[in-house]
Amino acid sequence: MTEFTKRPDGLIVPAGINRRGFLAGTAALGIAAGLGSSLVGGEARAQEPKRGGHLKLGLDGGATTDSLDPASYSGSVSFVIGHLWGDTLVESHPETGAPLPSIASSRESSADASVWTFKIRKDIAFHDGRKLAVADVIATLKRHSDEGSKSGALGLMRSVKAIEEKAGDLVLTLMEGNADLPLLLTDYHLIIQPDGGVDNPASPVGTGPYKLASYEAGIRATFEKNTADWRSDRGYVDSVEIIVMNDTTARIAALSSGQVHFINGVEPKTVPLLKRAPRVEILQTSGKGFYSFLMHCDTSPFDNNDLRLALKYAIDRQAILDRVLGGFGTLGNDYPVNENYALAPEGIEQRAYDPDKAAFHYKKSGHDRPILLRTSDAAFPGAVDASVLFQESARKAGIEIEVRREPEDGYWTNVWNVQPFCASYWGGRPTQDSRYSTSYLSSAEWNDTRFKREDFDKLLLQARSELDEAKRKALYHTMALMVRDEGGLILPVFNDYVNAASASLKGFVHDIGNDLSNGYVGSRVWFDS
């Protein structure tokens, strides 16, 4: 079993190994080609972190319908809130995505990766003073495995057959082997709560670096430093305030005037304006997130694959990359995986804008009426503009798209995963398995394209338990083609994460895991003065 310890400088290393040995060992494992600045130094740690101050984050992605129950988290604001007050069993390396210890200090698996044993730290207390126990971890994982929970992690947890304590350790027995299990447990819904949050799932009592002080859904949340935090390399500021700012102009004005120190969701077209502002820095990070349009495969008229193909050929991806993202991203190919994922598919022909092919499939579909596309800038920065571009490019193929702009407040509750054709955004997931399990497995709660295929599910389960990487990569290649050619996902672009911050804010970690430094922005940064 791999044991880890934390050095005084905050570096997490295997017990008994010095820094040089750690780098050599992890390089041999393929996970140390440039360790994240939050762990070993680099640009963000070239300066010793300073403590103190009140951090203000102006974030979009919040709504009055938000809940503090981690099972329901979906938008950017909830994503950051959860990482401030809570912890998961495992975290991921910001540059490589490899698993790192968190509440679980070490792990080991059976030879077929079907039984996993985790050692749980004994030196951690919840915000209310209760000592964290293995029973709390078990209750948390069981709650998110309950079909009645409607947890965003339910699709991931369905592969777990037994969750139990043995000899003081957490033991997870799976229905089949899964070499990726530690990374699946980094899912931000799986925040460990006292007694699993069963009695009060919306109670934000966790083990994170900050305690929730006040909360107004869709408006504001404030946090105070957890002085009993078990880490030394997290939580540098004294307090954090999240101000929900779904309006792009409001966020830019707030940062430029010094009302907030950090904003997310920066639209590329506003980058030149922000660059002219004194003491403002643009933070651009490559990742796994994507901007998309979703069609419900089980709902007319999108239950016709020719219509789905017509719309996939009718979108001008390059125009969206250039005019909406300003080049801050890469082209998508209608499957939800890019080169930032391990074992990413190779050699799949890039789907290009082709009005003739779009017109062919549209005529074959037999559909001849306007198609309603619901959109909002809550979906992703520039979503309305992207929808209009989609409308224009489709018109050249004889396809009429009616663009309806929906209110930003409540978009993720009332439109996404409800309406049959809408703009959407997905952040990254640790692995291809978790990406597909979250939203393409037939039984997944967040199967937002209603792509339900028994043959796909079988391939997913086969890939999950396949320990031969070459065979596993081949399975993922087949799955990508199925989603690309028969699914309801229109994925024109993978976006770079574009945020902005005051120049006085230091320590931002560029994390491929997801936007907002994989949700940890509030606890990783500090003030220079």
Side-chain angles (χ1 to χ4, degrees), residues 506-525:
K506 304 297 181 183
F508 182 83
V509 177
H510 294 279
D511 195 318
I512 67 168
N514 213 325
D515 197 5
L516 297 155
S517 196
N518 205 13
Y520 294 104
V521 59
S523 60
R524 282 175 167 172
V525 297

Side-chain angles (χ1 to χ4, degrees), residues 487-509:
L489 174 68
I490 303 173
L491 198 167
V493 288
F494 285 89
N495 65 292
D496 289 345
Y497 306 127
V498 186
N499 301 306
S502 164
S504 64
L505 202 64
K506 304 297 181 183
F508 182 83
V509 177

Side-chain angles (χ1 to χ4, degrees), residues 264-465:
N264 70 327
V266 174
E267 295 187 20
K269 64 184 179 182
T270 67
V271 169
L273 175 64
L274 274 171
K275 283 184 173 179
R276 292 199 297 268
R279 296 191 57 75
V280 168
E281 294 183 354
I282 303 297
L283 303 169
Q284 178 185 355
T285 306
S286 175
K288 304 171 181 177
F290 56 83
Y291 297 167
S292 60
F293 298 95
L294 308 175
M295 303 174 285
H296 287 182
C297 296
D298 62 357
T299 304
S300 179
F302 308 104
D303 55 353
N304 184 316
N305 193 45
D306 275 299
L307 180 64
R308 298 197 297 268
L309 284 171
L311 290 168
K312 292 174 183 179
Y313 281 114
I315 191 166
D316 190 335
R317 301 161 199 271
Q318 191 65 52
I320 291 177
L321 177 60
D322 294 341
R323 296 166 61 181
V324 177
L325 277 74
F328 289 93
T330 55
L331 292 177
N333 205 15
D334 299 333
Y335 58 91
V337 174
N338 65 0
E339 66 278 1
N340 284 322
Y341 283 88
L343 307 181
E346 297 178 275
I348 297 179
E349 182 181 0
Q350 174 63 52
R351 180 169 283 147
Y353 175 48
D354 192 327
D356 292 335
K357 284 186 178 180
F360 168 80
H361 286 287
Y362 186 62
K363 182 178 180 180
K364 190 177 177 182
S365 76
H367 188 81
D368 60 1
R369 299 178 303 280
I371 300 170
L372 176 60
L373 170 61
R374 300 172 190 270
T375 188
S376 169
D377 280 333
F380 57 82
V384 174
D385 291 341
S387 300
V388 172
L389 283 174
F390 192 1
Q391 180 186 52
E392 293 173 352
S393 62
R395 186 177 294 123
K396 295 177 182 178
I399 302 173
E400 184 179 349
I401 294 178
E402 176 189 345
V403 175
R404 179 178 298 176
R405 185 169 187 167
E406 300 283 355
E408 295 187 27
D409 187 36
Y411 184 83
W412 295 106
T413 304
N414 303 322
V415 178
W416 173 77
N417 211 16
V418 176
Q419 298 297 336
F421 190 30
C422 71
S424 183
Y425 166 73
W426 272 102
R429 290 297 183 270
T431 65
Q432 290 196 64
D433 181 78
S434 58
R435 170 68 283 161
Y436 287 122
S437 296
T438 300
S439 50
Y440 293 89
L441 186 68
S442 295
S443 56
E445 180 68 24
W446 284 358
N447 188 329
D448 54 7
T449 59
R450 307 297 191 267
F451 179 77
K452 299 180 180 180
R453 294 273 300 266
E454 184 177 348
D455 52 352
F456 179 89
D457 295 348
K458 288 181 178 178
L459 287 173
L460 177 60
L461 296 179
Q462 185 181 347
R464 181 180 297 165
S465 57

Side-chain angles (χ1 to χ4, degrees), residues 215-237:
Y215 180 70
E216 297 174 85
I219 300 174
R220 184 184 308 269
T222 62
F223 296 82
E224 298 173 350
K225 182 77 177 74
N226 174 18
T227 56
D229 188 31
W230 56 279
R231 286 159 287 232
S232 61
D233 63 343
R234 202 73 62 80
Y236 299 105
V237 298

Side-chain angles (χ1 to χ4, degrees), residues 83 87-92 99-104 106-107 116-118 120 137 140-142 144-145 153 156-157 159-160 163 170-174 178-192 430-431 433-434 520:
H83 282 90
D87 292 308
T88 52
L89 274 175
V90 182
E91 292 185 11
S92 62
L100 293 172
S102 181
I103 282 178
S106 62
R107 63 188 182 273
W116 286 82
T117 302
F118 295 86
I120 305 303
V137 179
T140 296
L141 298 182
K142 284 186 174 180
H144 290 272
S145 304
L156 306 178
M157 296 303 297
S159 64
V160 181
I163 306 170
L170 169 70
V171 178
L172 302 182
T173 303
L174 312 182
N178 190 342
D180 287 336
L181 180 71
L183 284 173
L184 300 188
L185 297 175
T186 68
D187 187 278
Y188 64 95
H189 301 94
L190 300 177
I191 294 172
I192 307 303
T431 65
D433 181 78
S434 58
Y520 294 104

